[in-house]
Amino acid sequence: QVQLVESGGGLVQPGGSLRLSCVLSGRTFSNYAVGWFRQAPGKEREFVGGQTWRFGSPDYTNSVKGRFTISRDNAKNTVYLQMNSLQPEDTAIYYCAAKPFGSSRAQREYDYWGQGTQVTVSS
């Protein structure tokens, strides 16, 4: 059974940092891309960033470029989303998702999803 489990969310002040983790299990993900998405209250879920599991540079949406970084630990089947300089507009539920082969910004292409982790940026 494929599972993606996010963790690391919480409450942080503006300008602060959080690191989200996404642990993947249940199959081999060597040819899978992992994407991060978020859904703010009253808004549609949107692409944040993504990376093919083994190759290529991460892709980020413009609003997080220079602040968010995706990394991975292949041995632990874990992908991270380091979020710096957080702002109130980053408040959302953050999801990781996995799809075969290359990264994509299209949610419909992702086969597996985690349950989400809440990130709240507030003073």
Side-chain angles (χ1 to χ4, degrees), residues 51-101:
Q51 185 175 25
T52 303
W53 190 250
R54 291 190 180 276
F55 305 105
S57 300
D59 175 36
Y60 302 99
T61 193
N62 285 342
S63 63
V64 308
K65 281 182 180 177
R67 300 189 299 124
F68 290 13
T69 303
I70 293 174
S71 62
R72 63 184 185 266
D73 185 332
N74 293 336
K76 295 182 179 179
N77 262 10
T78 301
V79 178
Y80 303 99
L81 180 66
Q82 176 68 42
M83 305 185 296
N84 299 328
S85 302
L86 284 162
Q87 299 301 318
E89 52 266 34
D90 295 314
T91 295
I93 300 174
Y94 283 72
Y95 301 88
C96 64
K99 65 177 291 294
F101 307 117

Side-chain angles (χ1 to χ4, degrees), residues 104-122:
S104 169
R105 298 189 174 202
Q107 299 180 45
R108 64 183 181 277
E109 295 187 18
Y110 287 80
D111 296 329
Y112 306 108
W113 290 82
Q115 82 289 351
T117 185
Q118 176 71 48
V119 171
T120 303
V121 185
S122 175

Side-chain angles (χ1 to χ4, degrees), residues 13-30:
Q13 293 185 342
S17 299
L18 282 175
R19 188 178 78 159
L20 306 184
S21 300
C22 175
V23 179
L24 300 89
S25 63
R27 65 159 297 137
T28 300
F29 289 94
S30 57

